[in-house]
Amino acid sequence: MAQNGDVADESHTTCESSDFAEQLLHAHNVYRRQHNAPDLTLNEELCEQAQRWTEKLAARHHMAYCELAGVGENITFFPANMSPSAIVEYWYNENRKYEYETPGWQPGTNYFTQIVWRATKEIGVGRKVVSSAEYENTLKPATKPPSAEHQTNGGLRPRPDEPKQIVVAFYRPAGNNNRAGQFAMNVLKPVGSNQ
């Protein structure tokens, strides 16, 4: 982590040496415990794959899913100074839309369901910071949630003059399996919840 609240660019480090990856893992596990899901562990191979994909996205200047067999993914563009815990919170907040009474794939909840998917065991994290000049005019506007000021289909829209970060989280085994009964077994209500 850099000084003065800035997040250092750790795009060429391994999972084990990345404070960013460790903090993202910790934030995932805090939420997973609320849903009786076992803790995730960092996987070096997934981190390397996630970092390679992050580098490709940075070069392409747009979001796309990698679609590796058996691997789930959460991919988003964020302001460069957004912390790992705030990123996971942003993804997790989709839980407000999830209807536990009718488990299954539901629009606007796939980031959340992947975070808490009980059968997922490992995570790999990639991150790349890009300057505003590298990234200008590359995000497509999307419908804004009522509380969000700057949103896109790929995450929060940073101010035009601030650097951005691309965050890729790969998960194994993949979540969001829509076979009969999978969501009911893998996306549990939060402990002590009346949802």
Side-chain angles (χ1 to χ4, degrees):
M1 190 72 80
Q3 299 291 329
N4 301 326
D6 292 334
V7 178
D9 181 6
E10 298 175 345
S11 60
H12 299 293
T13 60
T14 62
C15 282
E16 286 80 24
S17 65
S18 170
D19 285 343
F20 186 90
E22 289 288 343
Q23 291 173 28
L24 201 83
L25 169 69
H26 175 75
H28 273 76
N29 288 335
V30 166
Y31 288 118
R32 289 176 64 82
R33 290 177 199 133
Q34 293 175 21
H35 293 266
N36 281 322
D39 283 0
L40 297 174
T41 58
L42 282 174
N43 176 283
E44 190 61 37
E45 176 192 12
L46 284 176
C47 283
E48 290 169 6
Q49 291 172 329
Q51 189 58 47
R52 280 195 301 271
W53 190 246
T54 303
E55 298 292 335
K56 285 183 182 182
L57 294 178
R60 293 177 183 175
H61 302 289
H62 72 275
M63 190 184 90
Y65 289 98
C66 189
E67 300 182 14
L68 294 170
V71 175
E73 38 193 334
N74 281 350
I75 301 174
T76 314
F77 296 90
F78 291 106
N81 63 351
M82 194 165 177
S83 71
S85 61
I87 288 167
V88 177
E89 179 183 13
Y90 177 82
W91 288 338
Y92 179 82
N93 280 339
E94 289 183 343
N95 75 336
R96 297 175 187 150
K97 302 176 202 168
Y98 191 75
E99 297 175 7
Y100 295 95
E101 309 77 40
T102 55
W105 186 90
Q106 299 172 18
T109 64
N110 60 323
Y111 287 103
F112 157 68
T113 54
Q114 178 59 81
I115 288 171
V116 301
W117 196 266
R118 286 182 51 82
T120 299
K121 307 287 183 219
E122 301 173 308
I123 187 173
V125 178
R127 176 176 180 263
K128 174 78 175 167
V129 174
V130 294
S131 72
S132 56
E134 290 177 276
Y135 197 70
E136 212 167 273
N137 298 319
T138 59
L139 292 175
K140 299 175 191 169
T143 304
K144 295 185 221 174
S147 63
E149 187 173 309
H150 300 299
Q151 294 279 332
T152 71
N153 60 345
L156 295 173
R157 181 186 297 266
R159 290 190 320 261
D161 60 332
E162 70 182 8
K164 291 84 177 145
Q165 64 180 322
I166 303 164
V167 178
V168 173
F170 283 167
Y171 304 85
R172 190 169 49 208
N176 296 329
N177 181 332
N178 211 20
R179 280 192 231 132
Q182 290 297 304
F183 274 85
M185 289 186 334
N186 285 288
V187 181
L188 305 180
K189 290 181 181 180
V191 177
S193 169
N194 292 329
Q195 292 184 339

